[in-house]
Amino acid sequence: LPTGTDTIHFIHRTDMPEERKATYLKIISADKPHKAIQERVWATVGGNRVVYPGETSTKTSDLVTVKLLLNSTILTPGARWMSNDIKDFYLNTPMERYEYMRLPLSIIPDKIVDQYSLKDLVTPDGWVYIEIRKGMYGLKHSGLIANVRLTAHLAKYGYAPTHRTPGLWRHHTRNISFCLVVDDFGVKYLGKHNADHLVKALQDLYTISTDWTGELYC
């Protein structure tokens, strides 16, 4: 059986801190014609019932920043453009503060019930409790903790956000910059070795897709 990603742990109801409340599971289904797997069903956290004491938002590029970087690419001799996308950016980010959720045993597949011995954990009224230890869709702060992790990772390779323009990043010494919107990168670079440096830096932690077909030539 699969070993999983260590994102959630099934727990006894009594193992949840007394001051915390468990939110609910929300099941989403959608058609995604532009994706390889078009019919999708996934589980998310009921974020409206999560009480998170810290900041939950993060800054991203606005449309003006993206347009300016695109124009700069066109007008800079020798500059090129690429785009990158991080797969499952909101998922699997370790959390210092765990969250809690519950779901009815009746909706859990039998093989999962058997693998994790959930009949030993179910409450008398039929609920199974979960401790969430990594980022999941629906958590209010998923985007923030994912961005903090990305910032710390790319800092090791010389990349950092600019001080005055939200979502605009530069390398300390290399001729490359990019605008970031959640998990999407629009990158201006001079010299493919600089683009390869960013791609390798991202691949050291994430699974990414890279599009070189959108190169812009002056």
Side-chain angles (χ1 to χ4, degrees):
L1 290 173
T3 56
T5 61
D6 202 38
T7 296
I8 65 172
H9 283 242
F10 294 103
I11 61 172
H12 283 281
R13 170 64 181 86
T14 54
D15 291 333
M16 191 177 78
E18 292 184 3
E19 72 278 8
R20 304 295 296 278
K21 293 184 178 180
T23 187
Y24 59 93
L25 174 75
K26 185 176 182 180
I27 299 177
I28 305 293
S29 62
D31 289 327
K32 300 286 186 177
H34 61 290
K35 298 287 188 178
I37 302 175
Q38 298 183 359
E39 296 179 349
R40 298 187 168 205
V41 178
W42 63 95
T44 68
V45 180
N48 62 310
R49 293 188 184 176
V50 174
V51 179
Y52 186 72
E55 183 65 44
T56 59
S57 62
T58 185
K59 296 178 181 179
T60 62
S61 291
D62 60 23
L63 185 57
V64 173
T65 302
V66 176
K67 287 183 175 180
L68 287 173
L69 192 61
L70 281 166
N71 286 332
S72 176
T73 304
I74 295 171
L75 296 173
T76 302
R80 300 290 183 268
W81 180 270
M82 72 171 176
S83 59
N84 297 312
D85 175 74
I86 297 177
K87 182 181 179 182
D88 298 334
F89 183 59
Y90 277 12
L91 307 180
N92 301 325
T93 306
M95 301 194 304
E96 294 182 2
R97 181 182 188 269
Y98 297 157
E99 300 295 341
Y100 297 89
M101 179 171 65
R102 70 176 189 173
L103 63 158
L105 181 69
S106 59
I107 72 169
I108 303 176
D110 291 339
K111 64 179 181 180
I112 300 299
V113 172
D114 294 338
Q115 182 178 358
Y116 294 97
S117 302
L118 296 187
K119 290 183 179 178
D120 297 333
L121 301 177
V122 64
T123 62
D125 52 353
W127 294 99
V128 173
Y129 283 75
I130 290 173
E131 185 172 71
I132 305 170
R133 300 185 178 183
K134 293 184 179 180
M136 287 182 64
Y137 295 125
L139 290 174
K140 295 179 179 179
H141 51 296
S142 285
L144 177 63
I145 61 176
N147 185 270
V148 169
R149 186 188 190 199
L150 172 68
T151 302
H153 174 69
L154 288 183
K156 296 182 292 185
Y157 298 86
Y159 299 92
T162 58
H163 294 297
R164 293 183 176 84
T165 306
L168 180 64
W169 292 56
R170 289 186 178 133
H171 192 273
H172 295 318
T173 58
R174 293 178 178 270
N175 209 332
I176 184 171
S177 57
F178 61 86
C179 49
L180 178 64
V181 180
V182 186
D183 59 350
D184 295 313
F185 296 70
V187 187
K188 171 192 173 184
Y189 66 93
L190 276 83
K192 191 171 182 298
H193 61 287
N194 287 322
D196 290 337
H197 183 267
L198 175 60
V199 170
K200 177 62 168 59
L202 292 171
Q203 288 177 336
D204 283 347
L205 183 62
Y206 303 98
T207 299
I208 69 168
S209 61
T210 301
D211 182 10
W212 302 94
T213 61
E215 292 182 338
L216 301 176
Y217 297 85
C218 66

